[in-house]
Amino acid sequence: MKDFRGKLAVITGGGTGMGRALAQQLSAEGCHVAMCDVLSENMVETKRLCEADAPAGVRVTTHPCDVSKEAEMIAFRDAVVAHHETDHINLLFNNAGIGGGGSILNDDREEWERTFGVCWYGVYYGTRVFLPLLVASQEGYIVNTSSVNGFWACLGPDTAHTAYSTAKFAVKGFTEALVVELRVNAPHVKAAVVMPGHIGTSIVINSSKVLGKGEAMDMSAKDVARMRDQLVKRGLPVADVEDDQIRAMIQQFGIIFRDHAPTTATQAAQVILDGVRNDKWRILVGEDAKVLDRMVRESPEDAYEKSFMEALQATGHLRMGG
């Protein structure tokens, strides 16, 4: 699929980050876009940015949807068909994701399963629901967002990261299986798995909202205590720091994660779309992702040791532990 003009792309998590950047770049090339997000206010800005640069006649629609709920994904699909007056789509970006539920031992089960539901079931339901519309097209592409945590299941040897990593491993395996299945049963439809490293997005900020916790400054005393313990384990001298200072640190971390990443969301979207144009099924985004992929493949038994993290940080990557 070399040209996106006149095509129809569906994007989950289109309100911010890579989803917004994909919507902007696709619509600027003349591609119609239907996006969903659980935070509707963010989509308003994405739509405005898209329409500012899109050629005349390009249709951009927004749809509130919780991707972890199949009924809402079915409603999203039906709305896309109705609003775009179509019987097919060409591109599906299963992009929506949140963080949370790092520890299966210490975190709330509800948070763990909410994170897993968005990051895994969002991809599964998206594929289930929209696949018939892709098959109905002359050419189609499913692009599923995994992560470096789809082949490296932690944020370092001292930080549990189970819900997100489990989901992203599932996305990676599912997409690789789709590569084969589509070749057999629908060769005009292709699949790609995207594995980004640290990308400048609002995932840290938005995850708390999606989990029902509000802004960082609204963190409960229980969550603050848990975060303090995690920071102490990482070697930060915050054992005696006041709760509001911890909250301010977390708020600042979300801003730094978004604004000082080695790869911007715009750059990530460019890499992803170039991957589609070049028929790639495996798309690593960011030099940190490429370095980490190589190191895990070379020394899989060492991947969760402190020496591995030290060697990774010596390359200049993932110094923030993300």
Side-chain angles (χ1 to χ4, degrees):
M1 192 179 296
K2 305 296 185 184
D3 186 5
F4 301 127
R5 183 176 298 275
K7 303 292 196 303
L8 173 55
V10 170
I11 304 171
T12 68
T16 57
M18 293 194 301
R20 172 179 286 179
L22 286 166
Q24 287 182 263
Q25 292 178 33
L26 285 164
S27 58
E29 293 189 34
C31 183
H32 304 291
V33 171
M35 77 185 83
C36 78
D37 202 292
V38 73
L39 300 174
S40 297
E41 63 273 18
N42 292 335
M43 288 192 291
V44 173
E45 177 64 8
T46 300
K47 180 179 173 69
R48 185 190 70 78
L49 291 169
C50 288
E51 292 180 341
D53 295 326
V58 170
R59 183 175 296 180
V60 179
T61 61
T62 61
H63 309 268
C65 176
D66 181 341
V67 299
S68 71
K69 298 178 180 179
E70 186 173 17
E72 293 195 22
M73 287 295 282
I74 291 171
F76 174 37
R77 177 203 61 200
D78 293 346
V80 171
V81 169
H83 284 87
H84 289 265
E85 300 176 328
T86 187
D87 62 356
H88 71 277
I89 67 170
N90 303 101
L91 293 149
L92 172 62
F93 295 89
N94 286 312
N95 164 79
I98 61 171
S103 172
I104 197 168
L105 290 171
N106 300 321
D107 287 338
D108 294 335
R109 177 170 178 170
E110 182 179 355
E111 178 179 320
W112 202 102
E113 293 183 354
R114 177 72 171 134
T115 302
F116 183 80
V118 171
C119 293
W120 159 243
Y121 278 105
V123 172
Y124 174 68
Y125 291 147
T127 302
R128 276 285 188 191
V129 165
F130 284 101
L131 187 55
L133 296 179
L134 285 160
V135 173
S137 69
Q138 292 186 344
E139 58 177 348
Y141 228 112
I142 302 171
V143 182
N144 293 333
T145 301
S146 179
S147 166
V148 292
N149 292 127
F151 58 78
W152 185 61
C154 72
L155 294 174
D158 298 317
T159 307
H161 199 44
T162 60
Y164 186 85
S165 296
T166 302
K168 294 303 185 179
F169 264 76
V171 170
K172 178 177 180 289
F174 174 62
T175 310
E176 292 190 16
L178 275 180
V179 169
V180 176
E181 176 160 356
L182 291 171
R183 285 176 182 170
V184 173
N185 295 313
H188 63 297
V189 180
K190 297 181 179 179
V193 58
V194 176
M195 292 172 286
H198 178 188
I199 310 299
T201 73
S202 298
I203 187 171
V204 174
I205 297 170
N206 289 338
S207 293
S208 183
K209 297 177 183 178
V210 175
L211 291 169
K213 297 183 177 182
E215 303 286 349
M217 295 307 294
D218 300 323
M219 287 176 63
S220 68
K222 178 182 176 182
D223 286 336
V224 169
R226 186 168 53 191
M227 185 56 65
R228 181 185 284 105
D229 288 343
Q230 291 179 15
L231 294 173
V232 169
K233 287 179 180 178
R234 291 189 181 190
L236 296 176
V238 296
D240 299 319
V241 168
E242 294 183 0
D243 285 6
D244 276 348
Q245 288 179 278
I246 296 292
R247 294 184 179 99
M249 287 175 62
I250 300 306
Q251 183 180 52
Q252 188 62 25
F253 175 77
I255 294 170
I256 292 172
F257 186 93
R258 181 192 64 197
D259 296 344
H260 297 282
T263 304
T264 67
T266 296
Q267 291 168 332
Q270 291 170 343
V271 172
I272 293 167
L273 294 179
D274 283 345
V276 172
R277 291 187 186 93
N278 291 299
D279 289 339
K280 299 293 186 182
W281 70 262
R282 189 173 192 271
I283 304 172
L284 291 163
V285 183
E287 286 303 312
D288 51 351
K290 295 174 184 177
V291 169
L292 185 54
D293 178 57
R294 173 181 57 77
M295 290 179 64
V296 171
R297 287 173 178 274
E298 289 176 352
S299 304
E301 291 289 338
D302 299 326
Y304 303 109
E305 302 300 325
K306 288 188 177 182
S307 58
F308 182 91
M309 192 65 183
E310 291 168 356
L312 175 61
Q313 291 183 332
T315 68
H317 297 297
L318 298 191
R319 292 187 179 276
M320 293 176 64

